[in-house]
Amino acid sequence: MWPDRRLLDLFRIELPIIQAPMAGAHGSALAIAVSEAGGLGSLPCAMLDAAKVRAEMGVIRQRTARPINVNFFCHEPPKPDPQRDAAWKARLQAYYVEEGLDPGASAPAVNRAPFDEAMCAIVEDLKPEVVSFHFGLPGAPLLDRVKAAGCLVISSATTAEEARWLEARGCDAIIAQGYEAGGHRGMFLTGDIATQAGILALLPQVVDAVKVPVIAAGGIADGRGIAAAFALGASGVQVGTSYLFTPEATITGLHRAALQDARDDRTALTNLFSGRPARGLVNRLMREEGPMSQLAPAFPTAGIALAPLKAKAEAAGRSDFSSLWSGQAAALGREMGAAELTRKLAQDALQRLKAMATPGAGMP
């Protein structure tokens, strides 16, 4: 039925759909629903401590015996930069005054830790079927331990060069992340977002560059996008924003409301909320300060100074200072359960692929 079964056979799943791990936007419930529907559910672990990862994986193992993906960041922790932090806080001072907040008050640190010894030990213990990484890969000693535990390893590439780098270091499949994708860019060999390719241009070049299966990501929100990805050589797709419309997502009501009004021209790449480029729905802070700012501290510390502003505004029903992550195809999203969405995406894609293979056939 599917023109390329390599990913299905590799992951032992029924549908070539990976639910994107979206840190802070969902937990075990979404991953379980997608895996039970035949796709590959993902648990984002970048913002969880060790105890929470174990608890969430415990819930997953109780509710599904199907393959699961756990995802980690592997960025370099930033070096302290008090001057940059102070400059960023000074830039935000007018907002603090407007919100009636003390600009000198301290804010809690943002919990986005890179993959480390403690998390590696959990992976060795729990042995998830797939482990995915963002921002490259961890060092060879940790990566070797993950693979020795029997886990398949995947990571995101934003260029063909990054894809070749990942394959050379043992990735079993590669996610080609196009410019359209919501959330953080997975780039790690370059920091130039101006040169990042869209998925239609990136995908066939990554497919030609590596021998392992390639997963398309970015702006894929319905069966048409999945069929197009297969036509360009993908073995599967990773879908993120569409799953934010499901009841299993844990995003705020403000985020849900913003997604309802999403359009193709209402997202932008911004570093204001974390320090790294990430695509989200345009809000007040992005309009007035950027969306890219050289003052924003290094990832993931930019959000520390924004936390009090975000909390105050959200309590008043405003998303002025909130990160509303979204891809460019959010307007195609529909409200339904995650399992139903997974099956519908697959069914619609198969109909499209069948029509493409039938001379004279066509679909609206």
Side-chain angles (χ1 to χ4, degrees), residues 6-285:
R6 289 186 298 162
L7 200 71
L8 298 175
D9 295 338
L10 179 66
F11 291 162
R12 293 182 289 111
I13 55 180
E14 299 170 9
L15 306 176
I17 297 172
I18 298 172
Q19 164 250 312
M22 298 171 284
H26 71 92
S28 57
L30 181 55
I32 292 164
V34 174
S35 286
E36 279 293 289
L40 182 67
S42 302
L43 177 69
C45 300
M47 295 177 67
L48 306 181
D49 60 25
K52 187 64 174 177
V53 172
R54 286 188 180 276
E56 287 284 78
M57 281 299 295
V59 172
I60 289 172
R61 290 309 193 199
Q62 288 174 3
R63 295 180 56 189
T64 182
R66 301 200 176 195
I68 198 76
N69 166 45
V70 295
N71 174 261
F72 301 94
F73 289 170
C74 47
H75 57 284
E76 288 289 333
K79 297 179 181 178
D81 191 342
Q83 289 185 334
R84 190 173 181 182
D85 293 342
W88 181 231
K89 195 71 173 287
R91 182 68 182 183
L92 300 175
Q93 183 170 354
Y95 295 116
Y96 270 76
V97 174
E98 178 184 327
E99 297 291 341
L101 297 169
D102 178 9
S106 59
V110 177
N111 180 27
R112 284 195 182 97
F115 188 70
D116 58 12
E117 178 77 25
M119 289 300 182
C120 189
I122 292 176
V123 167
E124 290 174 313
D125 184 24
L126 301 179
K127 295 180 172 54
E129 289 77 9
V130 182
V131 178
S132 64
F133 294 103
H134 213 49
F135 312 131
L137 291 169
L142 291 179
L143 184 62
D144 289 345
R145 287 170 56 184
V146 171
K147 294 183 74 68
C151 307
L152 297 167
V153 172
I154 61 177
S155 187
S156 297
T158 62
T159 65
E161 181 185 8
E162 288 181 344
R164 285 188 287 265
W165 188 95
L166 293 172
E167 182 182 45
R169 284 156 182 79
C171 274
D172 298 287
I174 290 167
I175 302 162
Q177 186 194 40
Y179 184 76
E180 306 91 334
H184 286 93
R185 310 298 88 190
M187 54 178 52
F188 56 93
L189 294 183
T190 176
D192 188 358
I193 61 171
T195 61
Q196 189 182 0
I199 194 61
L200 286 177
L202 176 66
L203 178 56
Q205 295 182 72
V206 170
V207 169
D208 289 349
V210 299
K211 294 183 174 63
V212 297
V214 176
I215 302 155
I220 299 172
D222 61 13
R224 292 171 294 183
I226 297 173
F230 272 89
L232 291 172
S235 300
V237 299
Q238 179 169 279
V239 177
T241 304
S242 289
Y243 282 107
L244 296 180
F245 289 82
T246 69
E248 290 88 350
T250 58
I251 57 175
T252 65
L254 290 171
H255 196 165
R256 288 186 185 275
L259 286 168
Q260 294 294 334
D261 294 330
R263 296 191 333 202
D264 58 314
D265 60 350
R266 288 189 179 174
T267 71
L269 290 176
T270 178
N271 68 342
L272 301 179
F273 302 103
S274 72
R276 268 185 181 261
R279 184 174 296 283
L281 296 165
V282 176
N283 63 2
R284 178 189 174 188
L285 185 69

Side-chain angles (χ1 to χ4, degrees), residues 319-361:
S319 57
D320 294 353
F321 308 102
S322 304
S323 53
L324 307 171
W325 302 140
S326 170
Q328 289 182 329
L332 300 176
R334 297 293 181 267
E335 292 185 356
M336 63 180 71
E340 181 185 0
L341 173 61
T342 304
R343 290 189 289 264
K344 180 172 176 53
L345 288 171
Q347 291 166 0
D348 290 352
L350 285 172
Q351 289 179 352
R352 292 280 173 179
L353 289 166
K354 183 178 179 180
M356 289 164 59
T358 304

